[in-house]
Every structure is written in C-alpha cells, then in structure tokens.
Amino acid sequence: MTPAELASVVLTAAHAVFTDRGLDHAALPERTVVERPRNPEHGDYASTLALQLSKKVGVPPRELATALADELGRAPGIKSVEIAGPGFLNIRLDAAAAGQLARVIVEAGAEYGRSDRLAGEKINLEFVSANPTGPVHIGGVRWAAVGDALSRLLRATGADVGTEYYFNDAGSQIDRFARSLLAAAKGEPAPEDGYGGAYIAEIAAEVQARRPEVLGLDDAAAQEVFRVEGVALMFDEIRSSLRDFGVEFDTYFNEKDLHDRGELDLALARLREQGRVYESEGATWLRTTDFGDDKDRVLRKSNGEWTYFAADCAYYLDKRERGFERVVIMLGADHHGYIGRMKAMAACFGDDPERNLEILIGQLVNLLRDGAPMRMSKRAGTVITLEDLVDAIGVDASRYALARYSSDSPIDIDIELWTRASRDNPVYYVQYVAARTAGVARNAAEVGLVVPGDADAFRPELLDHEKENELLKALAEFPAVVATAAELREPHRVARYLEESVAASFHRFYDNCRVLPMGDEEVTDLHRARLWLNNATRTVIANGLHLLGVSAPERM
C-alpha cells in the first residue's frame, strides 16, 4: 500500500464516520496526507486528520480520532491504529499491505514518483545565461546542475516547462570582447577593460582561420568581424560544454533579437499604457518605486540608448506573451539587488509578481584541491570553468555535488572526496546501491529467479523483517519527496533522500536479509519476495538519480 493509497483509505474512513454521526461532509478535505512518524516505534504512518477536522465539526479531537481509529481498524491492510496525544492517529499496516509496495514500484518502473501535482502550470525556467564572452564558470555550472534537475522535477510533477538560456549578445560587454579578440589577433595586450585568458587567443586564431582577410581590414570593420564570428564561436562552445554536461535547453534566446524585432519599443508602449513611465532629464524612466523598488529605473538614456533594464523588461514581456504564466529566473550570488527591481517591473506590467515571477539566487562554489581553493583556470585565466570541474571529478559527481546542497548556501567541492571510491563520497554511496541491486538481479537470473516474470508467485506478506519494513517505508516516501522538491524548487531534497533514506536503508536490509539462496539451497518464496524489494530499490534509485541528471550504473 502506497502512502497515497493509505491516505485515500483514511479519507474513506472519515466519510463513513461523518455519515454515521450526521456531520457536515463539506468539512472533509478533497485529499489528505499520511506521514512517517519520526519514531518508528509509533507505527508505519501517522495522520493528523482528526485534529484538522475537530474545530470544523465541533467534536473533540480525541473523540473524533477514536471514531476514525475504529473505522480504520476494519479496513483491509490495516494491522492496528493507535491514538496518541491530543488526537494523532498512528497506523500500522499488515505485512502484505506494506510489502505490496514492492510490486507497485517495479511495475510502475520509470513512472514511479511522478504525479500531476503541478499539472496546468506553464513555467518558463531560465538558468545559466552566462554572457557569451567566456567559458561557463563554476557559478554558472551550479545553475546548470540545479536548473536542469529542477526542470526534470517540475516535469515529473506535471508542469509544462520550457527551459531557456538567454545570451546577452548586445551591449558594451560584446564590444569589449570583440576588441579583446582583435588585440589578440594583432599580438597586442588585451584592452584595459577587455578579456584575458588563453581562450581569447584560441578564438581569435579560429576567426582568422575562417576569415584570413580580417587583419587587412580597418579596425572598425575588423572588430565587427571578430564580434560576429567570435560571439558565434563562443555560443557554440558554451552549448557544446553544456551538452557534454547533460544539459540541453528548449530555447536559446538572443538579446540582440529583442532589439532587432523592436520588442523594447513594444515593452515601453505596454508600460506607458499602464501609466508607469515618465520623462525626466531627457531620459525615460519606469516608476518602479510604486511597487517597493528603492529607486525608479531608467529605460532609455538621454542619448537615446536603451539600458540593460529595458531589455530585461522586453524579455520578461516576451516570455509572458509566449504563454508562460510563471517566469522563473535563476541568478548568481551577486544579483540580490535584481529581485526588488524585477518584481516591481512585473507589477508595472500589471502582473502579480508573487505569482508570475520567481527569482532564485544561488550562492558561491569553491573547488578545493589539497584543502585550498583553486583560484584560476588554465584556460580562462581568471575563473574555474565547467571543464575544470568535470576534468577534476567527472560529470556525475559534478552534477550530484552541485545539486546536493540548497542553492542558497555556499559550497566547497573537495576534489579528493568526490573522486574517492568509498562510502564517504555521497555520489559513490548512492550509485553503489544502483550497481549492487543490478548485480543481485543478474545473479538471481542465473538461478532462474526473475522479476517480474514470477509475479504470481510474489508473496508480499513474507516481507515482515524489521529491515524490510524500514526499506519499504523509505521507498514509499519517494513520490512525496519529488513533489515537495518541485514545489519548493529544492532538488537537493532528492539527493539527501537517496542517501539518507534509501541507500542507508538498503545497506541495512542487505546486511540482514539474504536475497539469494546460497550454494545448493532451494529458491523459496522469501527469496522471490526479497528480489522484488531489491528491484524496487533499484527503480527508486534510478528514478531519483535521473531527476538529478546522474547515471545509475549497473556495475562499478
């Protein structure tokens, strides 16, 4: 019995109690939840439904809990129900009902853990969005791992998600990039406000190979060639790096397109319609202070140039016009100041900034070698890049390490730890369970024991060992963990669950409950039942790792 099925049983019991007592059925919720008690001695699951309904119907909570307990006690699969405190219900399942979960998980396969909790939500999720003036640095890599995991979680809970990468390919930083490439091609030092690093010389050389005539042009024409060709090459490299990291975007959006299509003018007109725009000192302003910003924001300067904020406005409007009801933007640690102005901007468009716009801030990442932070990339010259991280610990460890922590906390990634083949390496600890469960299944096949080929022979009531029960309860939590992680935008909940609940419980189960027969020992129904549980564990580990973009190896 899954937690969702048990919750339905609890609600059915509540309906029966309300009917018997003549209570108003309108007070009953459409759905309820059951949770695992912190203390396993209190039962398999707990419900607070009696406490929730007591005031609504004017019945003391313990009295209502007693009636619910009596009704629940007659339900199939319920071993016992105890009342605790002011009206908590502590529920124990019989072994057959608890063990049946193994069959549910194996037969559901990749679908186990998915739900329609966020069905109907159309979400635009923008992450990474590094300027096309250099390789993806380690801060951007964190968002690549977390953002991709979040997109998978949102889709797993029914949301319609569009992932997006915004290339800031217009403005002064692109001019500085082009001047840096031209200087490198000429063998001159980088401009004072330009970009350094070996990658600049590499791109400059490739532009020259494509356009051998470039240095024969005047500086303005040559700089334009380096701008167009160099930005395209940088785009290609960023896309390739992210693809190798397992991250593909539905849309790569160019800021330049907003300018070329006149969308900044469209956004300005829309804001004027809302009565939020005014002119002062020759510039055009947006009255964001009407909605809590610390100052009004310039949209167009007195010299006629658009500001970056104007492009932000146009880009937000573009997303909304494409039908996205919620715009989620992931930004780096140095962007806290953007939250107030962006929320105010959404309100200036007439939107509800709490419903239509969501901004997530990620904190800094340090890569440690021999206990000291690595300060500089061999190629980029000033920052640690995606390639540096992957070269050091690999894609799986990188993605797991970055998604394992709450994004609002700084993290240190210790190269020695994350490359160690031992239980203190978190990704190894989880992937080892994936490999061990696959190995058990292979060995079982060799003795003619196959799941789900012998489904009719599955006897879930045999899974009554304490460690079997502990593992079943851990596996049962997975759908709720996925839903909560998606709703709270916290992929790290999945990683911690895999480590602390599933992997830990499986190791204890494996150490105490032999799955396969030894030597010439005959295959029994207990072996079959435990193989179902082993394979259910493999399913949950694989599904959870997939949500993080990490592989579930069959061998290690």
Side-chain angles (χ1 to χ4, degrees):
M1 185 181 299
T2 68
E5 290 170 338
L6 177 57
S8 178
V9 171
V10 171
L11 268 184
T12 300
H15 274 274
V17 168
F18 272 45
T19 299
D20 183 59
R21 290 177 165 240
L23 301 176
D24 184 4
H25 281 70
L28 289 167
E30 292 184 5
R31 64 182 184 182
T32 188
V33 295
V34 292
E35 300 175 341
R36 283 183 63 182
R38 291 186 179 181
N39 186 346
E41 294 181 1
H42 292 166
D44 296 323
Y45 294 97
S47 171
T48 60
L49 187 61
L51 295 171
Q52 296 169 27
L53 297 176
S54 174
K55 286 186 178 181
K56 294 181 180 180
V57 297
V59 177
R62 279 193 69 91
E63 180 182 331
L64 190 56
T66 299
L68 284 171
D70 290 343
E71 188 67 32
L72 272 173
R74 293 190 286 272
I78 304 296
K79 181 179 180 181
S80 66
V81 184
E82 298 173 356
I83 303 166
F88 295 103
L89 294 173
N90 289 333
I91 305 167
R92 287 182 170 81
L93 304 181
D94 64 37
Q100 190 64 35
L101 178 68
R103 184 201 294 266
V104 170
I105 294 172
V106 171
E107 293 182 346
E111 292 299 306
Y112 183 67
R114 303 181 70 87
S115 71
D116 60 357
R117 184 76 67 91
L118 299 181
E121 289 202 31
K122 189 172 174 61
I123 300 172
N124 181 280
L125 179 61
E126 180 200 340
F127 56 100
V128 184
S129 293
N131 289 335
T133 55
V136 179
H137 61 78
I138 198 167
V141 182
R142 182 175 197 177
W143 276 138
V146 174
D148 187 63
L150 181 54
S151 73
R152 294 165 184 246
L153 282 164
L154 292 170
R155 286 171 175 144
T157 47
D160 180 0
V161 181
T163 58
E164 196 144 318
Y165 188 118
Y166 182 57
F167 279 115
N168 301 100
D169 60 341
S172 60
Q173 84 276 7
I174 298 298
D175 293 335
R176 296 198 304 272
F177 180 61
R179 291 200 307 272
S180 301
L181 294 175
L182 177 57
K186 289 181 173 182
E188 298 173 354
E192 187 175 340
D193 61 347
Y195 297 91
Y199 78 96
I200 291 290
E202 293 170 9
I203 293 175
E206 192 162 347
V207 172
Q208 286 178 274
R210 291 185 176 192
R211 300 286 298 273
E213 81 286 1
V214 64
L215 292 185
L217 305 174
D218 63 65
D219 280 359
Q223 183 175 316
E224 180 61 15
V225 170
F226 278 107
R227 186 191 71 78
V228 174
E229 297 284 352
V231 166
L233 287 167
M234 199 72 252
F235 278 173
D236 289 343
E237 180 175 327
I238 290 171
R239 286 193 189 100
S240 177
S241 295
L242 290 169
R243 189 179 305 116
D244 291 344
F245 196 58
V247 179
E248 292 272 11
F249 289 87
D250 299 319
T251 301
Y252 291 91
F253 195 102
N254 289 23
E255 179 189 352
K256 190 173 181 294
D257 290 343
L258 292 172
H259 293 264
D260 293 345
R261 296 196 298 247
E263 292 196 41
L264 279 79
D265 291 296
L266 177 63
L268 178 59
R270 188 71 59 86
L271 290 166
R272 284 191 191 279
E273 291 172 8
Q274 296 290 327
R276 304 298 176 186
V277 174
Y278 66 96
E279 310 294 327
S280 178
E281 300 174 353
T284 303
W285 298 72
L286 183 64
R287 205 183 304 276
T288 53
T289 52
D290 287 354
F291 298 101
D293 196 6
D294 58 345
K295 62 181 179 181
D296 291 339
R297 303 291 169 175
V298 177
L299 295 172
R300 180 174 262 163
K301 302 175 186 177
S302 57
N303 64 4
E305 292 181 1
W306 293 103
T307 62
Y308 285 121
F309 184 68
D312 289 339
C313 294
Y315 187 36
Y316 172 79
L317 180 61
D318 182 275
K319 291 176 178 178
R320 295 284 286 120
E321 291 290 293
R322 280 185 273 147
F324 291 105
E325 298 163 0
R326 183 179 290 271
V327 173
V328 181
I329 307 172
M330 296 179 159
L331 298 173
D334 56 344
H335 286 71
H336 274 284
Y338 280 65
I339 298 176
R341 75 187 72 167
M342 293 293 285
K343 291 280 190 180
M345 173 267 289
C348 287
F349 275 117
D351 282 351
D352 178 353
E354 298 308 310
R355 182 174 66 89
N356 300 119
L357 178 62
E358 187 175 338
I359 298 177
L360 307 177
I361 299 292
Q363 292 301 319
L364 299 175
V365 181
N366 291 311
L367 186 60
L368 305 182
R369 187 187 294 277
D370 298 325
M374 291 176 60
R375 297 292 184 191
M376 192 174 298
S377 167
K378 293 179 180 178
R379 183 163 177 264
T382 55
V383 295
I384 302 300
T385 67
L386 186 158
E387 286 79 8
D388 294 324
L389 180 60
V390 170
D391 287 347
I393 65 174
V395 172
D396 276 352
S398 296
R399 290 193 59 134
Y400 194 94
L402 292 166
R404 182 178 183 261
Y405 300 91
S406 173
S407 57
D408 60 6
S409 62
I411 57 175
D412 293 329
I413 297 178
D414 188 321
I415 292 174
E416 182 183 3
L417 170 66
W418 288 95
T419 54
R420 194 179 298 157
S422 65
R423 286 191 174 192
D424 55 352
N425 175 350
V427 71
Y428 180 89
Y429 183 64
V430 174
Q431 286 185 317
Y432 186 74
V433 173
R436 172 167 272 184
T437 51
V440 169
R442 284 194 303 272
N443 294 335
E446 292 178 1
V447 297
L449 185 56
V450 181
V451 166
D454 54 354
D456 292 340
F458 177 51
R459 293 182 57 193
E461 69 276 10
L462 297 178
L463 297 174
D464 59 359
H465 190 282
E466 175 190 0
K467 300 307 178 185
E468 294 165 343
N469 188 256
E470 177 188 338
L471 179 54
L472 283 163
K473 286 192 284 187
L475 300 180
E477 290 180 340
F478 185 55
V481 170
V482 173
T484 301
E487 290 175 342
L488 298 180
R489 318 300 194 232
E490 294 181 342
H492 71 274
R493 290 176 176 268
V494 174
R496 295 308 178 106
Y497 159 76
L498 293 177
E499 290 171 45
E500 298 167 6
S501 193
V502 180
S505 296
F506 177 80
H507 285 304
R508 288 190 285 270
F509 157 75
Y510 188 85
D511 290 343
N512 288 274
C513 304
R514 171 161 278 281
V515 179
L516 302 178
M518 294 183 67
D520 296 330
E521 184 182 355
E522 183 180 350
V523 173
T524 67
D525 287 341
L526 179 58
H527 293 128
R528 294 186 182 92
R530 285 176 173 172
L531 183 60
W532 277 87
L533 183 51
N534 173 87
N535 290 12
T537 305
R538 165 79 190 177
T539 296
V540 171
I541 288 284
N543 291 358
L545 287 173
H546 175 74
L547 290 172
L548 301 176
V550 177
S551 70
E554 295 195 357
R555 289 179 169 85
M556 288 182 72

